[in-house]
Amino acid sequence: MSLKLSKIFEKENKLTEEIGDFDKALGKVLFLHAEPVMVFEDGEPNEETGEIKRYPTDKVDYYEVNVYSDAQDKQIVVKMPAEADFSGLEYEDEIKLTNRSINFWSDKELVPTGNGQFRTNYFSG
């Protein structure tokens, strides 16, 4: 998804309605599916390997919600808080996303290329 942003960028600049038109960028948004993501807790370490396995609890951490954006002509996954209520929503019901925020992230990975050399791959989103 692309949003038109302000030309003025300051440290910790918030993405707000003034610099991003979400309604125009997303168009009509249709609800498709909500999948709970559970809170995980560490189990006991394996006595032989020391490996610690993680197990899901019964507590919802957040929801991954699949929506369809007609302006983007694709499905988008949005993260919703555990308190979100999806009762009464049917497949392809039109919804409006409110209290929006965008998380920007970046990461890098060193990949061996041979002869003891490495290439750096950068990822962001």
Side-chain angles (χ1 to χ4, degrees):
M1 167 184 10
S2 60
L3 296 173
K4 184 175 181 180
L5 302 178
S6 169
K7 294 180 181 178
I8 302 170
F9 289 95
E10 299 173 5
K11 187 174 183 181
E12 298 181 23
N13 189 14
K14 299 268 188 220
L15 182 62
T16 62
E17 289 294 336
E18 295 87 46
I19 59 175
D21 187 347
F22 285 89
D23 294 330
K24 184 176 179 182
L26 296 176
K28 185 162 88 171
V29 178
L30 304 178
F31 173 82
L32 300 178
H33 177 70
E35 186 72 33
V37 176
M38 309 310 280
V39 173
F40 278 73
E41 63 182 24
D42 293 339
E44 295 296 320
N46 183 310
E47 291 180 17
E48 296 175 15
T49 64
E51 179 183 6
I52 299 175
K53 291 196 176 193
R54 303 192 79 217
Y55 299 96
T57 64
D58 292 335
K59 183 178 176 188
V60 174
D61 192 14
Y62 60 90
Y63 288 93
E64 286 186 346
V65 181
N66 289 330
V67 298
Y68 175 79
S69 163
D70 73 344
Q72 298 293 315
D73 192 26
K74 65 180 179 180
Q75 289 186 30
I76 299 170
V77 178
V78 296
K79 185 176 175 179
M80 303 285 265
E83 302 79 35
D85 182 17
F86 302 102
S87 60
L89 276 179
E90 298 287 331
Y91 182 76
E92 292 190 342
D93 278 352
E94 186 173 353
I95 61 172
K96 180 167 176 67
L97 300 175
T98 60
N99 297 327
R100 301 166 294 239
S101 65
I102 294 179
N103 297 318
F104 292 100
W105 56 269
S106 64
D107 198 3
K108 64 181 178 180
E109 167 187 50
L110 290 176
V111 179
T113 59
N115 298 332
Q117 296 181 352
F118 291 87
R119 176 184 74 232
T120 303
N121 289 341
Y122 294 93
F123 305 95
S124 63

